[in-house]
Amino acid sequence: KAAQIQALRARQDRTARHLRLLTQQLRPPILAHFGLVKALRAQVEQMRTVYEKPEIEIVTPAEPLELEDDISLELYRICQQALQNALQHANARHIRIRLWTDAESVWLEVEDDGDGFAGPVQWLELARSGHFGMIGMLERAEALGGHLTVRSVPNEGTLIQVQAPLTRPTDTQFLREL
């Protein structure tokens, strides 16, 4: 009986940690105050307290990135969804997150060594079957004026890559491009 009580308490503690993690992820204060780099690092640390496996590696610039708030939030959400997909569906042993910039773009990659899947992503089929996580990542990337690439190979893992401009085009820039 004591072992059952101890197991229930341990489960309750894990559930409480998971709920705190979900609550903090809704609108993480660290994102607004310290930027995307620290927010992603904090997200990984929180996930490590909830999930023993897989190993999660994160590679980011040492310095904070100067990104618009909405760009940071959308990239954070894309990373959040990609991590959840890897944790729930991939049976991965290792997940690697990379964030970097070049002269014009910010890049985010979430890669796992899990189950993967065959063939290209069929966006319409995902929507029809109720798999809205990947659809949400695509919509967020496109809302930033960016691109989402998904590469997956059965038994070799999945790579989610987002490229977005460092700044969002203004309405006048958009009209000039038409």
Side-chain angles (χ1 to χ4, degrees):
K1 201 170 200 176
Q4 288 177 325
I5 292 172
Q6 187 175 9
L8 285 172
R9 284 186 180 152
R11 186 173 181 178
Q12 179 183 14
D13 289 344
R14 281 193 309 275
T15 301
R17 284 195 312 268
H18 186 71
L19 286 174
R20 275 193 299 276
L21 176 62
L22 290 174
T23 303
Q24 291 168 353
Q25 289 176 344
L26 289 174
R27 187 78 165 159
I30 194 169
L31 185 62
H33 296 294
F34 299 104
L36 183 59
V37 170
K38 287 200 180 214
L40 289 177
R41 289 187 167 281
Q43 180 182 27
V44 167
E45 286 306 314
Q46 290 170 343
M47 292 189 122
R48 286 176 178 153
T49 67
V50 175
Y51 301 97
E52 293 178 19
K53 292 185 179 187
E55 176 186 335
I56 303 173
E57 172 189 359
I58 183 164
V59 179
T60 64
E63 299 297 318
L65 299 178
E66 296 294 326
L67 298 173
E68 296 172 15
D69 289 345
D70 58 337
I71 293 173
S72 291
L73 181 60
E74 296 297 357
L75 290 173
Y76 181 85
R77 293 281 182 239
I78 291 168
C79 184
Q80 189 177 42
Q81 182 64 54
L83 277 171
Q84 283 301 322
N85 287 354
L87 290 166
Q88 292 176 358
H89 306 296
N91 296 315
R93 292 174 310 284
H94 186 264
I95 300 171
R96 182 174 56 123
I97 302 164
R98 289 184 57 220
L99 177 71
W100 75 95
T101 60
D102 60 25
E104 298 176 1
S105 299
V106 57
W107 296 82
L108 172 69
E109 287 183 349
V110 179
E111 184 174 18
D112 69 67
D113 64 354
D115 295 341
F117 51 89
V121 174
Q122 301 295 322
W123 298 106
L124 186 57
E125 288 304 314
L126 285 173
R128 284 182 181 157
S129 61
H131 297 286
F132 298 113
M134 299 240 328
I135 301 290
M137 289 189 290
L138 174 67
E139 290 173 346
R140 288 177 188 282
E142 289 178 347
L144 294 173
H147 304 282
L148 177 80
T149 304
V150 179
R151 283 184 241 140
S152 190
V153 176
N155 302 313
E156 292 184 23
T158 301
L159 170 68
I160 305 288
Q161 184 182 70
V162 180
Q163 173 273 325
L166 288 171
T167 58
R168 292 183 71 162
T170 63
D171 290 339
T172 56
Q173 286 173 320
F174 176 73
L175 292 175
R176 278 194 302 254
E177 291 173 8
L178 292 177

